[in-house]
Amino acid sequence: MNFFNTPTKGFRNSRWYWSLKLFEIKTRKGLKHLSVFSQFVLLGIVIFLAIGIFLSMLVGPLLTSFVLKQQELNSSVFFNRLAAELLLPEDLVQPAVGESKARFERFADNLQFPGLFRIKIWNPRGTIVYSDEEQLIGRVFPLTDDLKNALALKSEIGIKIFDPRDPHDLYEVEFGEGIEFYAPITFSESPHALGVVEVYGRSGFLKEQIKKVQNQFNVRVILSLALVFSTLSFIVWRASRTIKRQGQQLAGYTLDLESKIRERTRALHEETEKKLEQAEEIAKLKDEFVFIAAHELRSPVLSIVGNTELLSSGLPSDKISAQHKAILKDLTISGRRLQDLVRDLLDVARLESRTQQAERRPTNITPIIHESVLSVTSLAHDKSIALVIEEKGLTALPPLSTDGGRLKEVLNNLLTNAIKYNRPDGSVTVSAEYTAGEIIIHVRDTGIGLSPEEKEKIFNKFWRAKTTVTEGTGLGLWITKEIMKTLGGTITLISESGVGSTFSIHLPHEAGV
């Protein structure tokens, strides 16, 4: 129970506020000392009383609306049928006189509307062509909304309190209120309303009828709620007894269970700690093994690649057969691949162990971009790929506090990939910009591009796109992403399958560098 959700400042300082607050506190304390069943009974009485009052208040308007709607449907059909039998369309043109008035009187005498005490028949121009109040015949009034709706073939019914200030209600004020009903006259064959019948009936009989039905409804609601409440109370009483008995039994198990849980938790904690130590040791041994293996492989690989290149370039072409040339070329290519694999494995080991940190110093970015492009020129030439540098953006780049060597390694990886996965006679474009406190370098290619599914995996370790390109370990972009983390930057990708890709590296720029 909470009576004080958002009290105003004035009410909070009043005597009533603190009296109600004290009552709330005492009520809460009292409920704590009651059993579950007693609390249910008290709260149930309040809830069921609220439901009963709500339903009682709701049924009156619903019954009134239902009865009026039924009266509207019945009267609309009856009025039009009677008009078609007794009236003529021309009767609605001018105020009733002679035979026209006689027809209207027969129409009025045959109307069946509960408690009828006034009838007015209007034409579309707002003229009362007939009324049981002689003085109203021929009077012209502005069309009300109800009359307009009736002329639009929409019947209107409701209970109206007559207003002495409204000239339209002048002759009905003495009745106080009544059932007001507007029905269009169409003479069946006409698609338009040729006039409107306005009638008033006494509302007393309707209220008495609704009150009687409402009283019957209230009695049934009270009996139904009492039956439901009694049934639920019995169920709660049985359940509370069962809960109490089971609670006593459960209390007996609690002490043993708590000690067993503490013992088991301690054992699990020790076991988990031991397994974590073992896992960390295994991971450490794995990293050390990879690092040592890659480091030990680097020297022989460098020797193999160097000697193979020396043989290829040092032997006279007339003293070596074509078969031997092919073998030397294959050895050189394989050696370079092995060299790349060893370099990537060393980078992975360093990055995962966090032993390689960036050496930040004020650096000019533009020469690094040129050097990176120059380092892949021969690879681009072999693949017939055009390298383009957009110099305009490079001239506006400010110095940046970063590790130039690591940044160059990132650019080399991106440029190598852009060439490797490009089309013959394609292009790779390098551009840069300084905006919003960061330097952004873009590497854009006209290659095979990536699907949405491939873009989600492109930076995963050992993942490679399904293409005809077989070189590579699938580590380059993972290494690139990790290096960017050490530099405090990020890398993003925009790619479309069959169109190309744009890798962008974002480097935050600190003022005053």
Side-chain angles (χ1 to χ4, degrees), residues 94-115:
Q94 299 293 334
V97 294
E99 294 183 3
S100 174
K101 186 175 182 180
R103 286 192 289 270
F104 276 121
E105 289 175 348
R106 287 197 300 273
F107 176 79
D109 291 339
N110 285 278
L111 281 182
Q112 296 178 8
F113 192 80

Side-chain angles (χ1 to χ4, degrees), residues 363-376:
T363 305
N364 192 354
I365 302 299
T366 303
I368 293 178
I369 295 175
H370 282 122
E371 290 171 11
S372 298
V373 172
L374 183 63
S375 67
V376 296

